[in-house]
mmCIF file of all heavy atoms in Angstrom:
data_model
loop_
_atom_site.group_PDB
_atom_site.id
_atom_site.type_symbol
_atom_site.label_atom_id
_atom_site.label_comp_id
_atom_site.label_asym_id
_atom_site.label_seq_id
_atom_site.Cartn_x
_atom_site.Cartn_y
_atom_site.Cartn_z
ATOM 1 N N LEU W 1365 212.152 85.257 209.587
ATOM 2 C CA LEU W 1365 212.052 84.562 208.305
ATOM 3 C C LEU W 1365 212.222 85.528 207.138
ATOM 4 O O LEU W 1365 212.906 85.222 206.153
ATOM 5 C CB LEU W 1365 210.723 83.832 208.196
ATOM 6 C CG LEU W 1365 210.577 82.577 209.046
ATOM 7 C CD1 LEU W 1365 209.141 82.064 208.988
ATOM 8 C CD2 LEU W 1365 211.542 81.514 208.575
ATOM 9 N N TRP W 1366 211.608 86.706 207.234
ATOM 10 C CA TRP W 1366 211.719 87.708 206.167
ATOM 11 C C TRP W 1366 213.167 88.175 206.025
ATOM 12 O O TRP W 1366 213.694 88.271 204.907
ATOM 13 C CB TRP W 1366 210.802 88.896 206.466
ATOM 14 C CG TRP W 1366 210.965 90.005 205.482
ATOM 15 C CD1 TRP W 1366 210.468 90.070 204.221
ATOM 16 C CD2 TRP W 1366 211.711 91.207 205.684
ATOM 17 N NE1 TRP W 1366 210.841 91.243 203.623
ATOM 18 C CE2 TRP W 1366 211.604 91.964 204.503
ATOM 19 C CE3 TRP W 1366 212.443 91.721 206.741
ATOM 20 C CZ2 TRP W 1366 212.230 93.190 204.359
ATOM 21 C CZ3 TRP W 1366 213.056 92.950 206.595
ATOM 22 C CH2 TRP W 1366 212.941 93.668 205.415
ATOM 23 N N ALA W 1367 213.843 88.456 207.158
ATOM 24 C CA ALA W 1367 215.233 88.907 207.110
ATOM 25 C C ALA W 1367 216.134 87.815 206.541
ATOM 26 O O ALA W 1367 217.038 88.086 205.738
ATOM 27 C CB ALA W 1367 215.704 89.322 208.503
ATOM 28 N N GLY W 1368 215.891 86.572 206.938
ATOM 29 C CA GLY W 1368 216.683 85.466 206.407
ATOM 30 C C GLY W 1368 216.481 85.281 204.914
ATOM 31 O O GLY W 1368 217.441 85.036 204.171
ATOM 32 N N ALA W 1369 215.242 85.395 204.463
ATOM 33 C CA ALA W 1369 214.958 85.272 203.035
ATOM 34 C C ALA W 1369 215.605 86.415 202.256
ATOM 35 O O ALA W 1369 216.161 86.202 201.169
ATOM 36 C CB ALA W 1369 213.455 85.252 202.798
ATOM 37 N N SER W 1370 215.563 87.622 202.803
ATOM 38 C CA SER W 1370 216.181 88.768 202.130
ATOM 39 C C SER W 1370 217.693 88.597 202.032
ATOM 40 O O SER W 1370 218.294 88.868 200.989
ATOM 41 C CB SER W 1370 215.869 90.059 202.877
ATOM 42 O OG SER W 1370 214.497 90.308 202.889
ATOM 43 N N LEU W 1371 218.309 88.139 203.122
ATOM 44 C CA LEU W 1371 219.750 87.923 203.117
ATOM 45 C C LEU W 1371 220.130 86.821 202.138
ATOM 46 O O LEU W 1371 221.096 86.956 201.374
ATOM 47 C CB LEU W 1371 220.238 87.573 204.525
ATOM 48 C CG LEU W 1371 221.734 87.342 204.681
ATOM 49 C CD1 LEU W 1371 222.506 88.614 204.350
ATOM 50 C CD2 LEU W 1371 222.058 86.877 206.081
ATOM 51 N N THR W 1372 219.373 85.751 202.122
ATOM 52 C CA THR W 1372 219.646 84.648 201.196
ATOM 53 C C THR W 1372 219.497 85.107 199.746
ATOM 54 O O THR W 1372 220.334 84.782 198.893
ATOM 55 C CB THR W 1372 218.701 83.467 201.477
ATOM 56 O OG1 THR W 1372 218.846 83.087 202.850
ATOM 57 C CG2 THR W 1372 219.022 82.276 200.599
ATOM 58 N N ALA W 1373 218.451 85.866 199.446
ATOM 59 C CA ALA W 1373 218.258 86.368 198.083
ATOM 60 C C ALA W 1373 219.385 87.321 197.684
ATOM 61 O O ALA W 1373 219.880 87.272 196.548
ATOM 62 C CB ALA W 1373 216.912 87.071 197.968
ATOM 63 N N GLY W 1374 219.804 88.175 198.615
ATOM 64 C CA GLY W 1374 220.900 89.091 198.320
ATOM 65 C C GLY W 1374 222.207 88.355 198.082
ATOM 66 O O GLY W 1374 222.969 88.690 197.165
ATOM 67 N N LEU W 1375 222.474 87.341 198.889
ATOM 68 C CA LEU W 1375 223.695 86.558 198.691
ATOM 69 C C LEU W 1375 223.657 85.791 197.368
ATOM 70 O O LEU W 1375 224.680 85.667 196.682
ATOM 71 C CB LEU W 1375 223.899 85.588 199.857
ATOM 72 C CG LEU W 1375 224.462 86.198 201.128
ATOM 73 C CD1 LEU W 1375 224.399 85.204 202.273
ATOM 74 C CD2 LEU W 1375 225.884 86.682 200.914
ATOM 75 N N ARG W 1376 222.482 85.285 197.007
ATOM 76 C CA ARG W 1376 222.353 84.576 195.724
ATOM 77 C C ARG W 1376 222.637 85.525 194.567
ATOM 78 O O ARG W 1376 223.323 85.171 193.607
ATOM 79 C CB ARG W 1376 220.953 83.979 195.596
ATOM 80 C CG ARG W 1376 220.772 83.185 194.333
ATOM 81 C CD ARG W 1376 219.387 82.536 194.293
ATOM 82 N NE ARG W 1376 219.174 81.842 193.043
ATOM 83 C CZ ARG W 1376 218.644 82.390 191.954
ATOM 84 N NH1 ARG W 1376 218.245 83.641 191.977
ATOM 85 N NH2 ARG W 1376 218.487 81.689 190.862
ATOM 86 N N GLN W 1377 222.126 86.751 194.668
ATOM 87 C CA GLN W 1377 222.352 87.737 193.613
ATOM 88 C C GLN W 1377 223.825 88.138 193.543
ATOM 89 O O GLN W 1377 224.343 88.412 192.471
ATOM 90 C CB GLN W 1377 221.489 88.977 193.861
ATOM 91 C CG GLN W 1377 221.619 90.026 192.788
ATOM 92 C CD GLN W 1377 220.781 91.256 193.089
ATOM 93 O OE1 GLN W 1377 220.179 91.361 194.149
ATOM 94 N NE2 GLN W 1377 220.762 92.185 192.170
ATOM 95 N N ALA W 1378 224.516 88.148 194.712
ATOM 96 C CA ALA W 1378 225.923 88.540 194.762
ATOM 97 C C ALA W 1378 226.844 87.341 194.591
ATOM 98 O O ALA W 1378 228.020 87.404 194.948
ATOM 99 C CB ALA W 1378 226.215 89.246 196.084
ATOM 100 N N ASP W 1379 226.335 86.233 194.070
ATOM 101 C CA ASP W 1379 227.106 85.019 193.819
ATOM 102 C C ASP W 1379 227.700 84.455 195.113
ATOM 103 O O ASP W 1379 228.824 84.002 195.150
ATOM 104 C CB ASP W 1379 228.202 85.286 192.781
ATOM 105 C CG ASP W 1379 228.723 84.014 192.150
ATOM 106 O OD1 ASP W 1379 227.982 83.011 192.156
ATOM 107 O OD2 ASP W 1379 229.875 84.017 191.670
ATOM 108 N N TRP W 1380 226.930 84.539 196.202
ATOM 109 C CA TRP W 1380 227.254 83.973 197.514
ATOM 110 C C TRP W 1380 228.525 84.554 198.125
ATOM 111 O O TRP W 1380 229.235 83.900 198.879
ATOM 112 C CB TRP W 1380 227.323 82.444 197.449
ATOM 113 C CG TRP W 1380 226.051 81.860 196.944
ATOM 114 C CD1 TRP W 1380 225.815 81.383 195.707
ATOM 115 C CD2 TRP W 1380 224.817 81.731 197.660
ATOM 116 N NE1 TRP W 1380 224.506 80.951 195.596
ATOM 117 C CE2 TRP W 1380 223.879 81.159 196.783
ATOM 118 C CE3 TRP W 1380 224.419 82.055 198.956
ATOM 119 C CZ2 TRP W 1380 222.572 80.897 197.153
ATOM 120 C CZ3 TRP W 1380 223.119 81.785 199.319
ATOM 121 C CH2 TRP W 1380 222.205 81.213 198.434
ATOM 122 N N GLN W 1381 228.832 85.808 197.794
ATOM 123 C CA GLN W 1381 230.003 86.485 198.348
ATOM 124 C C GLN W 1381 229.531 87.582 199.297
ATOM 125 O O GLN W 1381 228.890 88.545 198.883
ATOM 126 C CB GLN W 1381 230.845 87.094 197.233
ATOM 127 C CG GLN W 1381 231.396 86.064 196.269
ATOM 128 C CD GLN W 1381 232.104 86.714 195.103
ATOM 129 O OE1 GLN W 1381 232.308 87.932 195.086
ATOM 130 N NE2 GLN W 1381 232.489 85.927 194.124
ATOM 131 N N ILE W 1382 229.880 87.438 200.567
ATOM 132 C CA ILE W 1382 229.430 88.396 201.578
ATOM 133 C C ILE W 1382 230.047 89.768 201.324
ATOM 134 O O ILE W 1382 229.387 90.795 201.460
ATOM 135 C CB ILE W 1382 229.764 87.882 202.981
ATOM 136 C CG1 ILE W 1382 228.953 86.618 203.265
ATOM 137 C CG2 ILE W 1382 229.493 88.942 204.042
ATOM 138 C CD1 ILE W 1382 229.317 85.924 204.546
ATOM 139 N N GLY W 1383 231.318 89.796 200.934
ATOM 140 C CA GLY W 1383 231.986 91.066 200.653
ATOM 141 C C GLY W 1383 231.339 91.825 199.511
ATOM 142 O O GLY W 1383 231.176 93.049 199.566
#
Side-chain angles (χ1 to χ4, degrees):
L1365 287 172
W1366 175 78
S1370 298
L1371 181 63
T1372 304
L1375 282 170
R1376 183 176 176 270
Q1377 182 182 5
D1379 199 24
W1380 303 103
Q1381 298 174 8
I1382 294 173

